[in-house]
Amino acid sequence: MKNIGIEFKWAIIFTIMSLLWMVLEKLCGLHDRNIDYHMYLTNLFAIPAIWTYVLALQDKKKNFYEGKMDYKQGLVSGIILTLIITLISPFTQWVITYVISPEFFPNVIKRSVELGYYESTEIAEANFNYKNYALQGMIGALTMGIITTAIVMIFVRTKDGELVQEVE
């Protein structure tokens, strides 16, 4: 467990950050009065999500690998982090759906039918529900986590000839 303690810690931080993001979306009206902007503005979540991965991988480099982490070590760490986040994501979606914003699905269903994105309420309901979002969340967490890790590690890894500062 000690080997993945940093990944577990950052998966919890990521989950808390995700829940706080949903509270912010709700407070900004993106789950009701400003729902038309939700599909655009929710994508801004990528900024804190990527930043969390950067901090997690830097933490792993500094505190587990003593300042020297190659690309493969970071990739493995990021994949472990991603797997933990992916496993937690159905619970995160449950909290969002039933605690933070239980009105989101009814609102988005109604509005998507009004705008003609879906022909009927039944078709919209088939897309906007906990089960579908939990599955999409898991797939999204897995794919985006691995892609983010692969890119972030280009910058976080210890490059050849890079000096490691001694911690006193």
Side-chain angles (χ1 to χ4, degrees):
M1 184 67 173
K2 182 181 177 188
N3 289 345
I4 63 165
I6 291 171
E7 290 85 354
F8 187 78
K9 173 183 83 172
W10 282 99
I12 298 301
I13 291 169
F14 188 95
T15 299
I16 292 167
M17 184 261 309
S18 300
L19 294 171
L20 290 173
W21 182 268
M22 286 300 125
V23 170
L24 178 64
E25 280 190 4
K26 181 176 178 165
L27 291 173
C28 291
L30 294 177
H31 296 185
D32 47 45
R33 69 186 180 280
N34 296 318
I35 204 160
D36 291 355
Y37 303 107
H38 180 266
M39 69 176 163
Y40 306 111
L41 296 177
T42 196
N43 293 319
L44 292 175
F45 175 73
I47 297 167
I50 292 167
W51 188 245
T52 302
Y53 267 76
V54 169
L55 295 175
L57 292 167
Q58 286 176 335
D59 186 9
K60 186 71 171 193
K61 178 180 178 179
K62 178 182 177 190
N63 295 309
F64 188 82
Y65 289 111
E66 299 175 356
K68 290 193 83 154
M69 181 170 69
D70 64 29
Y71 187 87
K72 182 180 176 186
Q73 290 168 324
L75 190 64
V76 168
S77 176
I79 289 171
I80 291 168
L81 171 63
T82 296
L83 290 174
I84 297 168
I85 291 169
T86 301
L87 291 174
I88 295 172
S89 69
F91 169 74
T92 306
Q93 186 59 53
W94 185 90
V95 172
I96 293 164
T97 301
Y98 297 107
V99 178
I100 295 173
S101 192
E103 71 283 358
F104 175 72
F105 287 137
N107 289 340
V108 75
I109 289 165
K110 180 181 179 216
R111 189 65 178 142
S112 66
V113 173
E114 287 172 355
L115 293 173
Y117 291 133
Y118 296 97
E119 293 180 17
S120 70
T121 300
E122 293 75 26
I123 296 171
E125 286 173 345
N127 287 286
F128 298 112
N129 59 68
Y130 166 75
K131 182 180 176 183
N132 200 28
Y133 267 52
L135 180 60
Q136 288 177 21
M138 290 181 73
I139 294 168
L142 187 61
T143 56
M144 293 311 296
I146 292 170
I147 292 167
T148 299
T149 297
I151 294 169
V152 167
M153 279 313 301
I154 293 169
F155 304 100
V156 173
R157 69 183 167 86
T158 302
K159 289 112 184 135
D160 292 334
E162 185 177 320
L163 296 176
V164 178
Q165 295 179 349
E166 294 288 327
V167 179
E168 296 178 24

